[in-house]
Amino acid sequence: MSIRVGVIGTGVMGADHVRNLHSTVSGATVSVVADLDQERAKSVASAVGARWVTDPLKLINDAGVDAVVIASHDSTHADLTLAAVEAGKPVLCEKPLAVTAEDCRRVAAAENPESPLMSVGFMRRFDPGYVALKAETHSGRIGDPLIVHCSSRTVSAYPGGSSESTVTNSAIHELDIVPWILNSPVVAASWHCGRSSSLVTDRQDPQIIMLRTADGVLTTVEVFLNARYGYDTRCEVVGEIGAARLAEPVVIHTDADRSHSYGYAADWIPRFAESYRRQLQEWIDALSTGRPSTLATAADGLRANLVAAAVIKSMHSAGATVSVEPVGESF
Amino acid sequence: MSIRVGVIGTGVMGADHVRNLHSTVSGATVSVVADLDQERAKSVASAVGARWVTDPLKLINDAGVDAVVIASHDSTHADLTLAAVEAGKPVLCEKPLAVTAEDCRRVAAAENPESPLMSVGFMRRFDPGYVALKAETHSGRIGDPLIVHCSSRTVSAYPGGSSESTVTNSAIHELDIVPWILNSPVVAASWHCGRSSSLVTDRQDPQIIMLRTADGVLTTVEVFLNARYGYDTRCEVVGEIGAARLAEPVVIHTDADRSHSYGYAADWIPRFAESYRRQLQEWIDALSTGRPSTLATAADGLRANLVAAAVIKSMHSAGATVSVEPVGESF
Amino acid sequence: MSIRVGVIGTGVMGADHVRNLHSTVSGATVSVVADLDQERAKSVASAVGARWVTDPLKLINDAGVDAVVIASHDSTHADLTLAAVEAGKPVLCEKPLAVTAEDCRRVAAAENPESPLMSVGFMRRFDPGYVALKAETHSGRIGDPLIVHCSSRTVSAYPGGSSESTVTNSAIHELDIVPWILNSPVVAASWHCGRSSSLVTDRQDPQIIMLRTADGVLTTVEVFLNARYGYDTRCEVVGEIGAARLAEPVVIHTDADRSHSYGYAADWIPRFAESYRRQLQEWIDALSTGRPSTLATAADGLRANLVAAAVIKSMHSAGATVSVEPVGESF
Amino acid sequence: MSIRVGVIGTGVMGADHVRNLHSTVSGATVSVVADLDQERAKSVASAVGARWVTDPLKLINDAGVDAVVIASHDSTHADLTLAAVEAGKPVLCEKPLAVTAEDCRRVAAAENPESPLMSVGFMRRFDPGYVALKAETHSGRIGDPLIVHCSSRTVSAYPGGSSESTVTNSAIHELDIVPWILNSPVVAASWHCGRSSSLVTDRQDPQIIMLRTADGVLTTVEVFLNARYGYDTRCEVVGEIGAARLAEPVVIHTDADRSHSYGYAADWIPRFAESYRRQLQEWIDALSTGRPSTLATAADGLRANLVAAAVIKSMHSAGATVSVEPVGESF
């Protein structure tokens, strides 16, 4: 009784989902793969014995597809998610759920709260480090949380981005994970910057974002997409009597050339491989048994986008603190 | 086309295999569970929708069982493995393949080298740390290996063991993994001890074992089963120009009570959870496609037992260096 | 030809200076000790064979005193420093040089730039970690600096303080050390806070300060005086191609009670013991040979106070960014 | 009332002692420096305002020398120490006290146990790490010690040595520090080796030494003088309920080039700089006040040499366990 999954998009992320669903997730098979690039669709599909199409709507409405994963370009997320819901099929949409907060609200409004179909790929919620950090935060061992510090550094950004896309595409992970850790929504945000890296021309890099959650906790987020040295994700929660932070997930240490070292991942795929696997397994498990999953919901996706909108507004208002628009009644 | 697996034994290890095969391994289902304890068999089986029996031979010969996992008492491993082979079914036997080297040789002799059916559960070969350590050892970055240091510490040993069972049950992992890392068999061994823990009465604890592999590398192994403080597995390879070692796989660090710390696992199940999952997935993948797997073979199981026999002989010979009996022609 | 030093104040800090000057610094002796508390003065003096007085001005003008250390209450720093300068004696004043920026300016104005007599006890400049961090920052290895993150946590604050005294007494160290690392003065600052620890009543704790230096670098400073878990000073410099940070200076690691840990200092005395020793040695060495020392100058002391004043102004202006008043011509 | 110290030998070690005594030790001055190389003696002496001679016996008998440091060639240690004692002057002799155990016994026999004059430069006894490790060992926190593991790795050995000189010159530090940590003398030793580094021709490298102390603890010592990657000294004590180990004394961590790292020292001078300073300060403090110091005594020096002799005997006896000759009655 495998869940037959259709995967839209065969870029780095989509291909990874196909491989995971086929090879490491229990209870799932990949039945159809869609990509505008016919050759890529064919190649990815054939490796796992799936069919392929170029039209994502065909995939969504295919009788052999029980559930849909959307990993195509961000600009397609909103409409494809709506199409999947209209077809009555569970859909896991890569973040962001939509590019703008307005679109995001439109998509989220289509969700049926009684019997939700949408999930958003905020995979960090399945990272063993973040999971343990959240547990430690509420264990009493470090006391009530007061401050959170995040650093999100990557080797280099895709060219052609902007200061805004740093927020909507990358910082969005922190905008989701911090309130998730704290169990408290972000209510206000501000954006700050100093000198930008001379190696970067398309955006301000690095940026500093400050978040205030409803519980009063203040969070600092450094986002540095062209940090060059490695893919390095950090998070520390400081509480009234202690503090806890992510450990870099390393498996060996090496002594060579006069130094003791461990390596960084080059990008998010190896760093969050386990998160992606666990997220997909939880999604499939929940679908198989008909129970609600613990994946991020449409409301979560909207919430992160509304915070991003506040951050960008602050960016264009000289760093002023901006209130986050509430998600609203329906959620 | 899932592989239908029968699991014999529902102790800690067997129950873990059942859960893994059912929930986290792609391409497998658990069809039958066997345990002498009828209630336990029933309970473990029903959780995954499998049938149950008390007689392991019935399981082995069940038409709904494509492949067998043996996780029952060590004393049953040899005969059940032989029964599975006789039934023509692939079998993954938990280490050790047999209690004595003689029995082990008898089992291994029944293997068909052309089309092998037996695998031995030396799961450390699938631990991301050991895998990376082996790769680093042969990468040139630390030069040719010269020395290996291992420490294998557990919180407390099962009562009623002996100094010998420390070797055959616990150190056996190092006796397998060190030659696996080095790609070189152990040719001689010696056993050493100092003061034994005053908290232990049934055996010498800790023990020190020295191994010499065919490549000339000298290995020290400390095995300390009642180390109390935590489950702690270490391995360092020292080469001509560098050294590499396992990192403790931690996901968060905590600051509390005047100290910075990370926790140790209480036993092997959480420490090697990922190894067990990957080992089972590889076993299932290989069975599904008909290719040879990378699991430890019957010959590997025999090899480890022959080294253990040499260590025990040294234990009874005042720490003299003892040559390891070769596996022989057939492998 | 020892330098004969008079030490004013025999609290924790003063007593530590006396002990250091007597026992671990080459080329110095303690000749006179002053404290309003006669018993304490007597006890500290007699332990090192020094004379004692209750009147600090008597000490300053004592013919047996070549140089003066001021470690008495903050409120006395300005006047005693001026008295020492009037007496023509080199003086090492514990930070802050004066409580208010105005007073600080008055003291600094009394300094003779041609032949300076004043030094300020910003001992972190002599911490091996900060020294190495500054060197790494300008080594090219991490590229030009872009962002600095500091955390300054202590177990508990002296009772009876205020949100302002957190800045002038504790954060002042970061206000000095960050521009020292960067070789660039702070030009603007802002102050931020979230929820305050429920265990603290006399002040906002923790606080977040943001600094902008003339080079464009943005710095975040978390100051948390009642962090409870330990005395923990962190600093990270993020550059265009790498990052460097202080390591916690630990000498052993311990495995016990299911965890791997190292301990934190209870307060600044053990954490910065080496810094205090090196600072005093450098002060004595420079005095002995007549060369300028590398200790913080009166201008440095003023500079830190002017930044503190800007931070406090921001604290009272809803977190607005406040420009730092320049030190002025004379320095 | 400074102690006027004469320093014999101006190689790396001697020059370091001169610099320390002059610049960082309280209560000492360097009055005379001796070296066969007249130019070097002159240069080192003039930097600290001392006189110089080429004849070490002249230095020992100089009226302006209160105490003597011997840092000349190992072969001179025994006779110069005896000469200092004959002159009635306290003497700090760099390890080893003598090259052979016989010579060492002869020197030690000349010591006056009532009013000892000899100290041996086993500076690790003053390393903050070893001091903390010894304290932790006896704190109850890790329980009674059972096993000790040491690794002593250096970048490269002085050419022209031998397998024996590895023991007498390098491993000698472990032969002293392990019984010092345990408060228990070494009673038996054995020597082991595997493959030697292909980059080394003058000796077996690395070597493994096993020590048995009177308390029953078993110690493994790896000595690897041409380890290439860095100067790396490790020591772990494993007790009945916990374990403790030296931390590498680092002050910063760096992220660059896809890795997180800290650097190793190139040799023992930076690694043990603090130990040398503290050892000299303790020596001077004890001399100044007439109390016994905590430096290693002549008996300690003899003890280490007797263990070295046992190790070398094992080296020439196929790794047999060799009893250590007792120091004897007089100590």
Side-chain angles (χ1 to χ4, degrees):
Chain A
M1 298 321 72
S2 273
I3 305 284
R4 298 166 305 170
V5 183
V7 178
I8 301 172
T10 59
V12 177
M13 199 67 257
D16 197 61
H17 284 318
V18 168
R19 191 171 41 244
N20 264 323
L21 286 163
H22 179 70
S23 309
T24 77
V25 169
S26 174
T29 56
V30 179
S31 54
V32 187
V33 165
D35 203 293
L36 295 178
D37 180 332
Q38 180 174 323
E39 284 315 304
R40 215 162 56 180
K42 208 189 285 192
S43 144
V44 169
S46 68
V48 300
R51 287 176 289 127
W52 59 273
V53 296
T54 52
D55 178 1
L57 295 176
K58 229 181 204 161
L59 178 148
I60 288 170
N61 294 297
D62 192 296
V65 166
D66 301 322
V68 178
V69 169
I70 301 174
S72 46
H73 193 270
D74 287 5
S75 60
T76 67
H77 289 189
D79 289 347
L80 293 176
T81 299
L82 289 172
V85 169
E86 198 161 332
K89 296 192 177 173
V91 55
L92 166 49
C93 180
E94 264 310 307
K95 58 89 207 164
L97 186 51
V99 175
T100 66
E102 294 70 37
D103 267 6
C104 210
R105 192 175 282 285
R106 180 170 60 95
V107 176
E111 177 65 300
N112 178 353
E114 302 303 309
S115 167
L117 290 171
M118 300 181 200
S119 297
V120 182
F122 282 129
M123 81 293 179
R124 290 195 189 177
R125 294 171 175 224
F126 295 88
D127 175 66
Y130 278 112
V131 168
L133 186 57
K134 179 172 188 168
E136 192 82 335
T137 297
H138 302 285
S139 69
R141 197 170 172 214
I142 65 168
D144 284 343
L146 298 171
I147 295 275
V148 177
H149 295 296
C150 304
S151 288
S152 186
R153 301 177 190 153
T154 67
V155 173
S156 55
Y158 287 116
S162 63
S163 295
E164 289 82 359
S165 73
T166 292
V167 177
T168 51
N169 250 313
S170 298
I172 193 88
H173 281 296
E174 268 76 19
L175 306 186
D176 174 68
I177 206 73
V178 170
W180 176 83
I181 292 171
L182 296 173
N183 288 327
S184 182
V186 179
V187 294
S190 62
W191 183 92
H192 311 267
C193 73
R195 206 157 72 73
S196 192
S197 170
S198 68
L199 308 173
V200 180
T201 54
D202 60 349
R203 69 184 87 200
Q204 167 69 36
D205 198 33
Q207 309 178 359
I208 302 272
I209 295 167
M210 289 184 72
L211 305 175
R212 188 174 309 268
T213 34
D215 56 6
V217 171
L218 195 63
T219 295
T220 67
V221 180
E222 176 215 317
V223 198
F224 188 8
L225 300 190
N226 295 276
R228 298 303 164 98
Y229 72 79
Y231 186 88
D232 184 5
T233 305
R234 303 187 198 167
C235 186
E236 179 185 32
V237 178
V238 186
E240 296 198 337
I241 58 170
R245 54 178 130 150
L246 295 184
E248 181 66 16
V250 295
V251 295
I252 60 166
H253 293 171
T254 300
D255 292 307
D257 303 322
R258 214 53 59 82
S259 79
H260 179 81
S261 69
Y262 61 73
Y264 280 109
D267 60 34
W268 79 100
I269 294 284
R271 172 62 182 83
F272 288 108
E274 181 68 5
S275 308
Y276 282 112
R277 186 183 71 77
R278 292 188 183 201
Q279 179 179 253
L280 283 172
Q281 186 71 65
E282 163 64 11
W283 187 56
I284 293 297
D285 286 354
L287 292 182
S288 303
T289 57
R291 64 164 169 80
S293 83
T294 60
L295 273 74
T297 63
D300 293 327
L302 172 55
R303 228 171 251 124
N305 267 32
L306 291 169
V307 179
V311 171
I312 290 170
K313 192 168 170 194
S314 174
M315 185 192 294
H316 297 155
S317 315
T321 298
V322 174
S323 292
V324 175
E325 191 184 318
V327 165
E329 287 298 300
S330 48
F331 297 97
Chain B
M1 299 322 75
S2 275
I3 304 284
R4 297 166 304 169
V5 182
V7 177
I8 300 172
T10 59
V12 177
M13 200 65 257
D16 197 62
H17 284 317
V18 169
R19 191 171 41 246
N20 264 323
L21 286 164
H22 179 70
S23 310
T24 77
V25 169
S26 176
T29 56
V30 178
S31 53
V32 186
V33 166
D35 201 293
L36 293 178
D37 179 331
Q38 180 173 323
E39 285 314 304
R40 215 162 55 184
K42 209 189 284 191
S43 145
V44 169
S46 67
V48 300
R51 287 177 287 127
W52 59 273
V53 296
T54 52
D55 178 1
L57 295 177
K58 230 180 202 160
L59 179 149
I60 287 170
N61 293 298
D62 191 297
V65 167
D66 300 323
V68 178
V69 168
I70 300 174
S72 45
H73 192 271
D74 287 5
S75 61
T76 67
H77 289 188
D79 290 346
L80 293 176
T81 299
L82 290 172
V85 169
E86 198 162 332
K89 297 192 178 173
V91 54
L92 166 49
C93 181
E94 266 308 309
K95 59 90 207 162
L97 187 50
V99 175
T100 64
E102 294 70 37
D103 267 5
C104 210
R105 192 175 282 284
R106 180 170 61 94
V107 176
E111 176 67 299
N112 177 354
E114 301 304 308
S115 165
L117 290 171
M118 300 182 201
S119 297
V120 181
F122 281 128
M123 81 293 179
R124 291 195 188 176
R125 295 174 174 221
F126 294 89
D127 175 67
Y130 278 112
V131 169
L133 185 57
K134 179 172 187 168
E136 192 83 335
T137 297
H138 301 285
S139 69
R141 197 170 171 216
I142 65 167
D144 285 343
L146 298 171
I147 294 275
V148 177
H149 295 297
C150 304
S151 289
S152 185
R153 300 177 191 155
T154 67
V155 174
S156 55
Y158 287 115
S162 64
S163 294
E164 288 81 0
S165 74
T166 292
V167 177
T168 51
N169 250 312
S170 299
I172 192 90
H173 281 297
E174 269 75 21
L175 306 187
D176 174 68
I177 206 73
V178 169
W180 175 82
I181 292 171
L182 297 173
N183 288 328
S184 181
V186 179
V187 294
S190 62
W191 184 92
H192 310 267
C193 72
R195 205 156 73 73
S196 191
S197 170
S198 68
L199 308 173
V200 180
T201 54
D202 61 349
R203 68 184 89 200
Q204 167 69 35
D205 197 33
Q207 308 178 0
I208 301 272
I209 295 167
M210 292 184 73
L211 305 174
R212 189 174 308 268
T213 33
D215 55 8
V217 170
L218 194 62
T219 296
T220 68
V221 180
E222 176 214 316
V223 198
F224 187 10
L225 299 190
N226 295 276
R228 299 301 165 98
Y229 73 78
Y231 187 87
D232 184 4
T233 305
R234 304 187 197 165
C235 186
E236 179 185 31
V237 178
V238 186
E240 295 199 338
I241 58 170
R245 54 177 132 152
L246 295 184
E248 180 66 17
V250 295
V251 295
I252 61 167
H253 292 171
T254 300
D255 292 309
D257 302 324
R258 213 53 60 80
S259 80
H260 179 80
S261 68
Y262 60 74
Y264 279 109
D267 61 34
W268 78 100
I269 293 285
R271 172 61 181 84
F272 288 108
E274 181 68 4
S275 308
Y276 282 113
R277 185 183 72 76
R278 294 189 182 199
Q279 179 179 253
L280 283 171
Q281 187 70 66
E282 163 64 10
W283 187 55
I284 293 297
D285 286 354
L287 292 182
S288 302
T289 55
R291 65 164 168 79
S293 83
T294 60
L295 274 74
T297 62
D300 292 327
L302 171 56
R303 229 172 249 122
N305 267 32
L306 291 170
V307 179
V311 172
I312 290 171
K313 192 167 170 194
S314 174
M315 184 191 294
H316 296 155
S317 316
T321 297
V322 174
S323 294
V324 175
E325 192 184 318
V327 165
E329 287 298 299
S330 46
F331 297 97
Chain C
M1 300 327 70
S2 273
I3 304 283
R4 297 166 305 170
V5 182
V7 177
I8 301 172
T10 58
V12 177
M13 199 66 257
D16 196 62
H17 284 318
V18 169
R19 193 172 37 246
N20 264 323
L21 286 164
H22 178 72
S23 308
T24 75
V25 169
S26 174
T29 57
V30 179
S31 54
V32 187
V33 165
D35 202 294
L36 294 177
D37 180 332
Q38 179 172 324
E39 284 316 304
R40 215 161 57 181
K42 207 189 284 191
S43 145
V44 170
S46 68
V48 302
R51 286 176 290 127
W52 59 273
V53 296
T54 52
D55 179 0
L57 295 177
K58 228 179 203 163
L59 178 149
I60 287 170
N61 293 298
D62 192 297
V65 167
D66 301 324
V68 178
V69 169
I70 300 175
S72 46
H73 193 269
D74 287 6
S75 60
T76 67
H77 288 189
D79 290 347
L80 293 176
T81 299
L82 289 172
V85 167
E86 198 162 332
K89 296 191 177 172
V91 55
L92 167 48
C93 180
E94 265 308 308
K95 59 91 206 163
L97 186 51
V99 174
T100 66
E102 295 70 38
D103 267 7
C104 210
R105 193 175 281 285
R106 180 169 61 93
V107 176
E111 176 66 300
N112 179 353
E114 301 303 309
S115 166
L117 290 171
M118 300 181 201
S119 297
V120 181
F122 281 128
M123 81 294 179
R124 290 194 189 177
R125 295 173 175 221
F126 295 88
D127 175 66
Y130 278 113
V131 169
L133 186 57
K134 179 172 187 168
E136 191 82 335
T137 296
H138 301 285
S139 70
R141 197 171 171 214
I142 65 167
D144 285 343
L146 297 172
I147 295 274
V148 177
H149 295 297
C150 304
S151 288
S152 185
R153 300 177 191 155
T154 67
V155 174
S156 55
Y158 286 116
S162 64
S163 293
E164 289 82 358
S165 74
T166 292
V167 177
T168 51
N169 250 311
S170 299
I172 192 89
H173 281 296
E174 268 75 20
L175 306 186
D176 174 69
I177 206 74
V178 169
W180 175 82
I181 292 170
L182 296 173
N183 289 328
S184 182
V186 178
V187 295
S190 61
W191 183 93
H192 310 267
C193 73
R195 206 157 71 74
S196 192
S197 171
S198 67
L199 308 172
V200 179
T201 55
D202 60 349
R203 69 183 87 200
Q204 167 69 37
D205 197 34
Q207 308 178 1
I208 301 272
I209 295 166
M210 290 184 72
L211 306 174
R212 188 174 308 269
T213 34
D215 55 8
V217 171
L218 193 62
T219 296
T220 68
V221 180
E222 177 215 315
V223 198
F224 188 9
L225 300 190
N226 296 275
R228 298 304 165 96
Y229 73 78
Y231 186 88
D232 184 4
T233 304
R234 304 187 198 166
C235 186
E236 179 184 31
V237 179
V238 186
E240 296 198 338
I241 58 170
R245 54 178 131 151
L246 295 183
E248 180 67 16
V250 294
V251 295
I252 60 167
H253 292 171
T254 300
D255 292 309
D257 303 324
R258 214 52 60 79
S259 79
H260 179 80
S261 69
Y262 60 74
Y264 279 110
D267 61 33
W268 78 100
I269 295 284
R271 172 60 183 84
F272 288 108
E274 181 68 5
S275 309
Y276 283 113
R277 186 184 72 76
R278 292 188 182 200
Q279 179 179 252
L280 283 171
Q281 186 71 65
E282 163 63 11
W283 187 54
I284 294 297
D285 287 354
L287 292 182
S288 302
T289 57
R291 64 166 169 80
S293 83
T294 60
L295 274 74
T297 64
D300 293 327
L302 172 56
R303 227 172 252 122
N305 267 33
L306 291 170
V307 179
V311 171
I312 290 170
K313 193 168 170 193
S314 174
M315 185 191 295
H316 298 153
S317 315
T321 298
V322 174
S323 293
V324 175
E325 192 184 315
V327 166
E329 288 296 301
S330 46
F331 296 97
Chain D
M1 298 317 77
S2 273
I3 305 283
R4 298 166 304 170
V5 182
V7 177
I8 300 172
T10 59
V12 177
M13 201 64 257
D16 196 62
H17 284 317
V18 168
R19 190 170 44 244
N20 264 324
L21 286 164
H22 179 70
S23 309
T24 76
V25 170
S26 175
T29 56
V30 179
S31 53
V32 186
V33 166
D35 202 293
L36 294 178
D37 179 331
Q38 180 173 324
E39 284 315 304
R40 214 162 57 181
K42 209 189 284 192
S43 145
V44 169
S46 68
V48 299
R51 288 176 288 128
W52 59 272
V53 296
T54 51
D55 178 359
L57 294 176
K58 230 181 202 160
L59 179 149
I60 287 170
N61 293 297
D62 191 297
V65 167
D66 301 322
V68 178
V69 169
I70 300 174
S72 46
H73 193 270
D74 287 4
S75 61
T76 67
H77 288 189
D79 289 346
L80 292 176
T81 299
L82 289 173
V85 168
E86 198 163 332
K89 297 191 178 172
V91 55
L92 168 48
C93 180
E94 266 309 309
K95 60 88 208 165
L97 186 52
V99 174
T100 64
E102 294 70 38
D103 266 5
C104 209
R105 193 175 281 285
R106 180 170 60 95
V107 176
E111 176 65 299
N112 177 353
E114 302 302 308
S115 167
L117 291 171
M118 301 181 200
S119 297
V120 181
F122 281 128
M123 80 295 179
R124 290 195 188 176
R125 294 174 175 221
F126 295 88
D127 175 66
Y130 278 113
V131 168
L133 185 57
K134 179 173 186 168
E136 192 82 336
T137 297
H138 301 285
S139 70
R141 198 172 171 213
I142 64 168
D144 284 342
L146 297 172
I147 294 276
V148 177
H149 295 297
C150 304
S151 288
S152 185
R153 301 178 190 153
T154 67
V155 174
S156 56
Y158 288 115
S162 64
S163 293
E164 288 82 359
S165 73
T166 291
V167 177
T168 52
N169 250 312
S170 299
I172 193 88
H173 280 297
E174 268 75 22
L175 305 187
D176 175 68
I177 206 73
V178 170
W180 176 82
I181 292 171
L182 296 173
N183 288 328
S184 182
V186 178
V187 294
S190 62
W191 184 92
H192 310 267
C193 74
R195 206 157 72 74
S196 192
S197 171
S198 69
L199 309 172
V200 179
T201 54
D202 60 349
R203 68 183 88 200
Q204 167 68 36
D205 198 32
Q207 308 178 0
I208 302 270
I209 294 167
M210 290 183 74
L211 305 174
R212 189 175 308 267
T213 33
D215 55 8
V217 170
L218 194 62
T219 295
T220 68
V221 180
E222 177 215 314
V223 198
F224 187 10
L225 300 189
N226 295 276
R228 299 301 165 96
Y229 73 79
Y231 187 88
D232 184 4
T233 305
R234 304 186 197 166
C235 186
E236 178 185 33
V237 178
V238 186
E240 295 198 338
I241 58 170
R245 55 179 131 151
L246 295 183
E248 182 66 18
V250 295
V251 295
I252 61 167
H253 293 171
T254 300
D255 291 308
D257 303 322
R258 214 53 61 80
S259 79
H260 179 79
S261 69
Y262 60 75
Y264 280 109
D267 61 34
W268 79 100
I269 294 284
R271 172 61 183 84
F272 288 109
E274 182 68 5
S275 309
Y276 282 113
R277 186 184 72 75
R278 292 187 182 200
Q279 179 178 253
L280 283 171
Q281 187 71 65
E282 163 64 11
W283 187 54
I284 293 297
D285 287 353
L287 292 181
S288 302
T289 56
R291 66 165 169 78
S293 83
T294 60
L295 274 74
T297 63
D300 293 327
L302 171 56
R303 228 172 250 121
N305 266 33
L306 292 170
V307 179
V311 172
I312 290 170
K313 192 167 169 195
S314 173
M315 185 191 294
H316 297 155
S317 315
T321 297
V322 174
S323 293
V324 174
E325 192 184 316
V327 165
E329 287 297 299
S330 47
F331 297 97

